[in-house]
Amino acid sequence: QVQLVQSGGGLVQAGGSLRLSCTTSGRTSGRTFSTWAMAWFRQVPGKEREFVATISWDGSSIYYRDSVEGRFTISRDNPKNTVYLQMNSLEPQDTAIYYCAASTSGPTSWHGTYDYWGQGTQVTVSS
């Protein structure tokens, strides 16, 4: 019953910005989302899914992969059951399918610890 629905993404020139959103659906989201850690991962064809950013249930713990530190910002709005990823100063190396994920066991950088996943959205950054 738990679903994560993503929006945003698209094609942007290097140096541009995009904002991704991920909203949970179903009754369970209202009483459980606020206890979940949320994260963003990305994947390109032929490569492993890689960690981008994560945020704890109350926003007190936030972690980024080194290559996006200072350019990306993860945030959450618990009453709206939504997590965001603001991406600035985008680079061609950021091109990937981006996935939202939820964990009941706290924020980590390993995709295997996440319980629920969004459908993915394409981000393409041109040179």
Side-chain angles (χ1 to χ4, degrees):
Q1 189 176 41
V2 175
Q3 295 183 348
L4 278 61
V5 180
Q6 300 178 215
S7 63
L11 175 64
V12 65
Q13 290 182 288
S17 298
L18 288 172
R19 187 193 191 210
L20 306 182
S21 298
C22 174
T23 300
T24 59
S25 64
R27 284 191 174 185
T28 186
S29 64
R31 55 182 165 86
T32 61
F33 175 82
S34 62
T35 72
W36 297 345
M38 303 297 296
W40 292 94
F41 291 81
R42 64 190 183 187
Q43 189 169 26
V44 299
K47 297 184 179 180
E48 293 185 2
R49 190 168 302 183
E50 68 178 16
F51 167 76
V52 177
T54 188
I55 184 170
S56 61
W57 72 272
D58 60 354
S60 63
S61 298
I62 295 175
Y63 306 101
Y64 300 96
R65 71 177 298 109
D66 289 344
S67 62
V68 309
E69 185 80 47
R71 299 189 297 119
F72 291 10
T73 302
I74 188 171
S75 61
R76 67 189 298 160
D77 187 337
N78 286 348
K80 295 182 179 179
N81 301 322
T82 300
V83 64
Y84 306 95
L85 185 68
Q86 178 67 47
M87 303 183 292
N88 299 326
S89 302
L90 283 162
E91 305 169 352
Q93 295 80 3
D94 297 316
T95 295
I97 300 175
Y98 283 70
Y99 296 92
C100 176
S103 173
T104 60
S105 58
T108 77
S109 62
W110 174 239
H111 61 79
T113 65
Y114 288 81
D115 304 291
Y116 306 104
W117 292 85
Q119 80 279 15
T121 185
Q122 179 70 45
V123 171
T124 302
V125 184
S126 63
S127 301

